């Protein structure tokens, strides 16, 4: 039509971008076996320690009702850096001397090698025993043992070579329980005898020694009694 303005061109609308659907972050499920393994390990460790504590508590003190023995076995303990006896070693030898004087046995086997330092535990104990009046002829040295299993094994070999069949085993209270477990495997008649401390110890030190001995008992129960057992 005349007089009308020309029509405006149509504006092209920009395409509306499509929004991507919102995705929640993927959460990886924690493995269900890990807590079970941790819990199982805790139960096993607790069970083994409980076993060791119970075994120490129930350890026998003798396998024969004897008042006299062929020999007194004194289990070694380390000497100090100058080759002198520590209080624990001294208490063991002192008690052995008193048992000898009571007529419990006519001789002593002193057992212990160079577990620490340059001094044989047996030699140091022999020096103390002789100073306390034990004749040298009544002392038998076993200077090679490096632990309690070897104390028992090597002492039993000496006994067998001399035809001795019974022994009183002397050590400190924290130690005799594990010693009883070990000597109980040997073909001899025995009893343990506790050497009282020469001076009162602190509760912390006693707890520390009991803890160490429990760890050694764990090792004995799960490994050493099979791997390190005494061979004839």
């Amino acid at each position: 039509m005349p007089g009308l303005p020309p029509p405006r061109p149509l504006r092209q609308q920009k395409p509306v971008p499509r929004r991507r659907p919102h995705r929640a972050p993927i959460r990886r499920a924690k493995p269900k076996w890990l807590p079970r393994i941790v819990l199982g390990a805790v139960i096993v460790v607790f069970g083994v320690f409980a076993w060791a504590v119970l075994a120490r508590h129930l350890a026998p003190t003798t396998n024969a009702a004897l008042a006299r023995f062929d020999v007194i076995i004194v289990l070694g303990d380390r000497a100090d850096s100058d080759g002198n006896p520590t209080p624990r070693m001294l208490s063991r030898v002192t008690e052995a001397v008193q048992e000898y004087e009571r007529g419990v046995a006519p001789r002593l086997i002193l057992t212990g090698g160079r577990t620490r330092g340059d001094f044989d535990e047996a030699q140091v104990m022999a020096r103390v025993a002789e100073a306390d009046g034990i004749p040298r002829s009544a002392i038998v040295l076993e200077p090679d043992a490096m632990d309690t299993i070897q104390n028992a094994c090597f002492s039993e070999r000496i006994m067998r070579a001399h035809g001795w069949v019974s022994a009183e085993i002397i050590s400190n209270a924290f130690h005799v329980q594990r010693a009883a477990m070990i000597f109980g495997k040997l073909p001899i008649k025995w009893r343990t005898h506790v050497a009282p401390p020469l001076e009162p110890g602190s509760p912390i030190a006693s707890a520390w020694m009991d803890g160490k001995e429990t760890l050694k008992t764990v090792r004995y129960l799960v490994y050493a009694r099979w791997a390190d057992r005494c061979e004839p």
Side-chain angles (χ1 to χ4, degrees):
M1 294 179 65
L4 293 177
R8 293 181 180 181
L10 296 175
R11 296 180 61 183
Q12 295 183 351
Q13 294 183 352
K14 294 182 179 180
V16 179
R18 297 178 60 186
R19 293 184 180 181
R20 294 182 180 180
H22 177 72
R23 294 182 181 180
I26 299 175
R27 295 182 180 179
R28 295 184 179 180
K30 294 182 179 180
K32 296 181 179 180
W33 49 263
L34 184 59
R36 295 176 182 176
I37 290 179
V38 173
L39 178 60
V42 171
I43 292 174
V44 169
V45 171
F46 178 81
V48 170
F49 270 83
W51 180 23
V53 171
L54 187 62
R56 291 185 65 202
H57 180 72
L58 298 179
T61 58
T62 184
N63 68 352
L66 299 177
R68 298 289 183 271
F69 295 85
D70 293 326
V71 65
I72 296 170
I73 298 176
V74 186
L75 303 182
D77 192 73
R78 66 180 179 86
D80 66 19
S81 58
D82 296 322
N84 298 314
T86 58
R88 286 201 303 266
M89 176 189 283
L90 192 59
S91 68
R92 299 178 190 187
V93 179
T94 300
E95 189 64 20
V97 169
Q98 294 180 5
E99 289 289 274
Y100 173 88
E101 293 174 345
R102 295 183 188 113
V104 171
R107 60 190 66 86
L108 279 62
I109 294 179
L110 308 176
T111 170
R114 297 186 182 186
T115 56
R116 295 182 186 177
D118 299 324
F119 303 97
D120 293 331
E121 296 171 1
Q123 293 283 0
V124 177
M125 291 191 292
R127 192 170 70 242
V128 175
E130 289 186 68
D132 286 344
I134 303 297
R136 186 65 183 83
S137 59
I139 297 174
V140 181
L141 299 183
E142 187 294 293
D144 299 318
M146 302 301 290
D147 55 34
T148 307
I149 292 178
Q150 292 184 359
N151 287 145
C153 186
F154 298 165
S155 296
E156 190 272 335
R157 289 177 184 173
I158 293 174
M159 292 176 61
R160 188 165 9 108
H162 288 82
W164 303 330
V165 297
S166 62
E168 180 180 76
I169 300 107
I170 293 182
S171 189
N172 301 111
F174 68 87
H175 185 216
V176 292
Q177 297 162 323
R178 183 166 57 92
M181 299 178 206
I182 296 169
F183 276 91
K185 303 294 184 181
L186 301 180
I188 62 172
K189 297 176 181 178
W190 59 271
R191 81 177 178 194
T192 56
H193 183 84
V194 174
L198 299 180
E199 54 188 23
S202 69
I204 295 177
S206 298
W208 171 250
M209 292 307 301
D210 276 337
K212 286 179 62 176
E213 191 61 28
T214 300
L215 285 174
K216 291 181 179 181
T217 304
V218 168
R219 182 184 182 276
Y220 173 72
L221 292 173
V222 302
Y223 173 76
R225 64 172 172 170
W226 314 109
D228 301 334
R229 64 183 181 275
C230 183
E231 300 290 347

